[in-house]
Amino acid sequence: MQKLATHTFTSGSVALMGVVIPAASAPPEWIHLLPSSAGRIETVDSRGPYQVQDAAAIIAASFAETTELPIDENHATDLAAPNGQPAPARGWITAMEARADGIWGKVRWANSGRELLADQAYRGISPVFLHSSDNTVRRILRASLVNNPNLRGLATLHQEESVNFQQKLAEKLGLNAAASEDQILAALPAKPGETAALQAALPSIAEALGLDKGADTAAVLNAAKAAGADAKTTIPALQSQVTDLSNQLKALTDIGKLTKAAAFVDAAIKEGRMGLNATNRAEFVAMHQENPARTEKLINGFALMKTTHTAGAPPAAAAMQSSANDLVVKAKALQASEKAKGNDLDWAVAVQMASEGKQ
């Protein structure tokens, strides 16, 4: 099922379309009806977006039953005429053209339309079209002079002449009519002064590329192309080497930290620091790797065990050992608790918190 899309009334599946018309001494010969010849069309309000899938099919369908499509005022054909009010045509769309920026319509203006535009009575053109249930545009029925345009992307009508000139210039330069401004500028011949400046700079460019100053333009161009191609392979290779060296440096740094941490913790165990043993050695080594200064301060604060003539540790020493082991258990519990909350608590901080009695 096809649905009608116009500019001003808002019931059902109607959409607002439009483009601003600036003041001009003469009405434009071509008007921008749809802002895309193959793609999405956005509106200012919530209706749409609409899709253009086949511009040629839309144009063919639009003229399938008539040779001219009317341009009225404020959608009078759809709003006023059904109530018996007048809806005169102010112009007629006699042809359409699919361009890179959408569908354009050629207009034969009535005298009343020319007067309205000369008087700046209206600022916009709004097409009325049929669309399918998936919002694909199928056929343009007519257009209307309005003051509240809604379709996004339509060129203002004063741009029509400049657009045509750009297309004609592109064709003169042997380019596609839809060529961009950058492509057109690149195809334009250089000014004499620019050519002379380039020739003057050629020896310096040649020298920078490793050629003799007397190298000709072709040799310089080939050297520049070779340099560009070489850069595409050389730069990634250098970046890869830098990454490898960085990884190697990090590995060596980590080894150095591990060696220093293990040496300190093993020395503390050997001298009999309370709370340090083979069971929790790995935790304190990891803690030292993360924060050497804090770990050494903490371990140096552990009491030293004194030797006795008995086989076991004296009661006081045993109590201190138990207290140190309890500190490790509490630190691990703190880490687990924070992990459950989505936080990563490093070992040094966990031990410090446990030693301060934090839960």
Side-chain angles (χ1 to χ4, degrees):
M1 177 179 179
Q2 294 189 344
K3 302 179 181 181
L4 181 67
T6 71
H7 180 84
T8 54
F9 57 87
T10 59
S11 61
S13 60
V14 177
L16 304 185
M17 308 291 116
V19 59
V20 172
I21 299 178
S25 57
E29 181 182 11
W30 289 85
I31 59 174
H32 202 182
L33 294 171
L34 293 178
S36 173
S37 57
R40 185 183 177 100
I41 298 175
E42 300 284 355
T43 61
V44 173
D45 64 15
S46 60
R47 280 166 285 184
Y50 298 97
Q51 298 289 334
V52 175
Q53 295 181 355
D54 189 337
I58 293 173
I59 294 172
S62 300
F63 290 104
E65 300 175 2
T66 183
T67 58
E68 296 184 330
L69 307 177
I71 299 175
D72 59 21
E73 294 180 69
N74 292 317
H75 296 289
T77 302
D78 299 288
L79 300 177
N83 298 321
Q85 297 175 344
R90 303 308 184 187
W92 297 89
I93 300 171
T94 60
M96 291 184 196
E97 187 177 282
R99 302 178 184 176
D101 59 350
I103 296 178
W104 290 72
K106 187 175 183 179
V107 182
R108 176 174 60 83
W109 293 101
N111 288 336
S112 57
R114 292 176 180 274
E115 291 172 2
L116 287 169
L117 294 183
D119 196 38
Q120 303 181 36
Y122 291 99
R123 301 180 62 247
I125 283 287
S126 172
V128 178
F129 56 78
L130 290 176
H131 64 87
S132 57
S133 58
D134 64 353
N135 285 342
T136 298
V137 179
R138 299 300 182 190
R139 176 184 175 188
I140 297 173
L141 300 176
R142 51 191 161 270
S144 188
L145 294 168
V146 297
N147 279 322
N148 295 298
N150 184 56
L151 194 65
R152 296 182 186 274
L154 288 175
T156 55
L157 295 200
H158 72 282
Q159 291 178 311
E160 188 264 331
E161 289 185 4
S162 64
V163 171
N164 280 348
F165 175 77
Q166 181 173 320
Q167 292 176 339
K168 291 176 182 177
L169 179 60
E171 292 171 355
K172 286 289 186 182
L173 293 170
L175 303 175
N176 186 287
S180 66
E181 289 185 7
D182 289 340
Q183 291 172 324
I184 292 173
L185 289 174
L188 288 172
K191 295 178 181 178
E194 292 176 347
T195 302
L198 179 60
Q199 289 294 332
L202 199 60
S204 298
I205 297 173
E207 188 175 22
L209 291 171
L211 302 176
D212 291 335
K213 287 187 176 182
D216 60 17
T217 303
V220 172
L221 180 60
N222 289 332
K225 289 180 178 178
D230 183 60
K232 291 180 180 179
T233 56
T234 302
I235 292 176
L238 290 174
Q239 290 174 334
S240 177
Q241 291 179 17
V242 170
T243 300
D244 290 342
L245 289 173
S246 178
N247 291 336
Q248 293 176 23
L249 178 61
K250 184 179 183 302
L252 290 173
T253 302
D254 290 344
I255 291 172
K257 288 182 178 180
L258 176 60
T259 302
K260 184 178 179 181
F264 180 84
V265 174
D266 288 343
I269 292 174
K270 185 175 181 180
E271 66 179 345
R273 291 287 178 181
M274 289 291 184
L276 292 178
N277 51 52
T279 302
N280 58 32
R281 174 183 180 276
E283 283 87 348
F284 281 99
V285 170
M287 177 179 170
H288 191 284
Q289 285 180 276
E290 293 176 4
N291 194 322
R294 180 185 293 175
T295 305
E296 290 179 9
K297 180 179 180 181
L298 181 65
I299 291 177
N300 287 334
F302 292 165
L304 287 169
M305 292 189 294
K306 296 180 180 179
T307 57
T308 66
H309 295 292
T310 61
M320 293 179 69
Q321 177 69 35
S322 175
S323 177
N325 287 335
D326 186 52
L327 182 66
V328 172
V329 171
K330 289 180 179 179
K332 289 183 176 180
L334 280 170
Q335 279 188 316
S337 175
E338 290 299 316
K339 186 71 174 178
K341 299 176 184 177
N343 302 322
D344 289 326
L345 186 65
D346 69 46
W347 176 247
V349 175
V351 171
Q352 184 67 35
M353 291 173 64
S355 68
E356 296 172 355
K358 296 180 180 180
Q359 299 296 323

